[in-house]
Amino acid sequence: MNLADSLRQIVAHKDTLLEAAVTRSVSITTPPPNIAVHVPAEAWWNTPFVGGALAAMAGIASTLLLGLIDRRIQRGRMAQALGTELSILQFRMISACLMVARRRARVTPELLEKLRTRIKGGPATKDLQVVGTMIDMLTGLPREDLIAWQTPPPGPPRGLSLKRYDLPYLESALARIDLLRKETQGLLFQTRGALDLFNQHVDEVMRYHWLTFEVVDSRNHAIVEGNIERNHDYIVDAALHVVNSLAVVLAQQDFRELKPLQVPVEELPADLEGKGATA
């Protein structure tokens, strides 16, 4: 068969050849890799003891984590309740300090500035805003008007309505005071001691006040009155000490998220109202 015959045969069977070329498929099969990891049975970490130890450690870690979360929640609740109680006491101490200082004519620009600083650095409760407004008003008075504001009205002086104050929540929460930072704990005990001293002077004034009804002799009566005035001065200093201590406590990190009360808890004492001293 020559070349011409071969070409004629290809032409004659071209359709068959084209169909075979179109329908032909190629299949390539690659077997998956076979990877095997051999763990020796005698490996130190592949034992029931190590597995149990790891499980125990995971259990302890989760318990500690839950304990830390619960402690943080309890600290926040305690800080809110205690901070509110301290803010109320701050208002009471500033009011008592102003009230007695007014009776003793000791309300000076220096005293007003000290109290004003303590208010502006603390929680902005409604009560503290009210007494802060009053202090701003007194600060803006000329010295003569400030002296006139402290001048008692004509007639015999009346006794001041002094009260003892306490911190019931702090007393009930002493068993959990470890929730707070150590510095805060120490400052709270200092404030507690300063408040005790204030209450002692209040008790002394009340004791001498009742003696004025029992002592008839004019000489002894004058001595009792002098003791009352002297303890009034002590009360001013003690109240200012409590105010300073409270300001430092409330500035601690434990109370930075404190939400101050925006409703008035108490009103200003009647002895701070009016043009002249009413007590």
Side-chain angles (χ1 to χ4, degrees):
M1 181 182 293
N2 55 24
L3 180 59
D5 294 336
S6 297
L7 291 173
R8 282 194 295 271
Q9 187 175 2
I10 291 174
V11 172
H13 296 87
K14 65 178 182 178
D15 295 336
T16 304
L17 292 173
L18 290 172
E19 183 179 355
V22 172
T23 58
R24 177 173 296 180
S25 61
V26 180
S27 177
I28 301 176
T29 303
T30 302
N34 186 13
I35 301 175
V37 179
H38 176 68
V39 179
E42 64 276 6
W44 65 269
W45 45 268
N46 189 27
T47 61
F49 175 77
V50 175
L54 292 175
M57 291 175 63
I60 294 174
S62 62
T63 302
L64 292 175
L65 179 60
L66 292 175
L68 289 175
I69 295 175
D70 180 69
R71 184 179 179 87
R72 181 178 179 84
I73 294 174
Q74 295 296 329
R75 177 188 295 173
R77 292 175 178 174
M78 182 178 185
Q80 180 62 39
L82 182 57
T84 300
E85 183 176 69
L86 296 176
S87 301
I88 295 173
L89 181 63
Q90 183 74 302
F91 168 79
R92 291 171 171 173
M93 288 292 103
I94 292 175
S95 300
C97 183
L98 278 175
M99 180 178 65
V100 183
R102 182 184 187 184
R103 167 60 67 88
R104 298 293 299 146
R106 288 183 55 182
V107 180
T108 61
E110 293 76 18
L111 176 62
L112 293 174
E113 182 59 28
K114 289 180 181 179
L115 297 177
R116 184 170 175 268
T117 303
R118 299 299 180 263
I119 292 176
K120 291 193 176 297
T125 63
K126 187 66 175 178
D127 289 334
L128 289 175
Q129 291 176 18
V130 171
V131 72
T133 300
M134 180 181 184
I135 291 176
D136 291 338
M137 180 272 295
L138 293 174
T139 303
L141 292 178
R143 183 174 293 272
E144 296 77 12
D145 293 342
L146 185 60
I147 294 175
W149 182 75
Q150 302 176 73
T151 303
R158 292 182 298 175
L160 290 172
S161 57
L162 296 172
K163 299 179 181 178
R164 291 176 54 92
Y165 295 108
D166 54 10
L167 294 167
Y169 181 83
L170 175 60
E171 297 297 332
S172 64
L174 286 178
R176 299 303 311 275
I177 199 174
D178 61 296
L179 291 171
L180 303 175
R181 292 169 175 81
K182 290 185 178 180
E183 184 176 0
T184 305
Q185 297 178 31
L187 292 171
L188 283 172
F189 282 115
Q190 291 181 11
T191 303
R192 190 165 168 252
L195 182 60
D196 287 342
L197 183 61
F198 172 86
N199 288 330
Q200 290 177 20
H201 291 309
V202 171
D203 291 340
E204 284 291 302
V205 168
M206 295 305 299
R207 186 170 69 87
Y208 286 122
H209 174 71
W210 288 112
L211 283 177
T212 58
F213 297 99
E214 300 177 4
V215 177
V216 180
D217 180 76
S218 59
R219 179 173 177 274
N220 290 331
H221 194 278
I223 294 175
V224 172
E225 290 288 348
N227 289 333
I228 293 177
E229 294 179 357
R230 185 163 46 253
N231 276 279
H232 280 166
D233 289 331
Y234 295 155
I235 287 176
V236 174
D237 297 334
L240 186 58
H241 186 196
V242 177
V243 169
N244 294 334
S245 298
L246 288 170
V248 176
V249 172
L250 291 171
Q252 296 303 303
Q253 185 176 353
D254 291 295
F255 301 103
R256 288 183 180 177
E257 298 182 2
L258 176 64
K259 297 178 181 178
L261 287 177
Q262 294 304 315
V263 293
V265 178
E266 296 184 11
E267 297 181 354
L268 283 172
D271 301 282
L272 290 178
E273 299 175 355
K275 184 175 181 180
T278 59

